[in-house]
Amino acid sequence: MAEKKSKLKTRWNWLKSIAAILISAFFFAPFYIILSLSFKARTDRSSYWLFPKEPTLDAYAYALDKGDIGLAIINTLIVTVFSVVLVLVFGAIAAYPLSRHKTKLNRFILSCFVGVMMVPPLSVLVPIYKELVSIGGINTFWGIILITVTYSLPMSVFMFSNFISGIPKELDEAALIDGCSQFMIFPRIILPNMAPVISSVLILTGVSIWNDYSFQLYVLQRPKLKTITLAISSFFSEGNSNMPAAAAAAVLSVLPVAVIYLCLQKYFIKGTMDSAVK
């Protein structure tokens, strides 16, 4: 009986390993195609699945020189960094009283935040665009930052409030007894325990803003203000497309996000799980 269970367990482990390999290959395939295509010459018409026999860096040179990918990365960094910082600061400050004081009003406010998360951003693009035009926010960094922060705050408040709810209130009471003021409890007691969820919000919000296309397309219309997604789309036109250069630009745009995720992976997983469970 024990031998039979051991065989079943071994087979089950093999099936899980095979399934993991297949899923990994499925998600790795697009990255392999982009990487392979980025090293091809523009005249190379071979299959995307075949790595070039004579790799070339012409696509990267074209993307950096003619496609202004360097400028696009800097613009995207400006928008992403300022937006993420504002989302983290205001999201954490708003989540603390909402999670610590379980009143009907606070529960209603949290429900409103969750409801806003369900609204597709493009469904309100027209009124938002008209409002930005009226206040002079078109073709400005502060205009696109205002939009991205507005749509990223509900998710951050939701995750922060769930995480803070899992921190015992006894810590607040102990801090008050030790002489800590009510206003210093959050920065001294709560904030140091929020590293995992901060990392999760940072990655989720940062990736979303980094990959945004729709809002940036309408708000940042000047060539000098174009971001990564707008720069990549510029390689495609009705009569002429430069696939290797677009692939090279995509590879360059993925690298910063991949490095940040690898550095914060441990905290990201913990923060996401804690926010969901608590």
Side-chain angles (χ1 to χ4, degrees), residues 53-69:
K53 296 180 180 180
E54 298 181 359
T56 177
L57 296 176
D58 292 345
Y60 289 92
Y62 185 90
L64 291 171
D65 184 22
K66 303 296 183 180
D68 292 331
I69 292 299

Side-chain angles (χ1 to χ4, degrees), residues 158-181:
F158 175 74
M159 293 187 66
F160 282 138
S161 61
N162 283 350
F163 188 89
I164 295 174
S165 297
I167 300 177
K169 290 184 178 180
E170 288 74 14
L171 291 177
D172 299 15
E173 298 171 358
L176 290 173
I177 294 174
D178 290 340
C180 185
S181 65

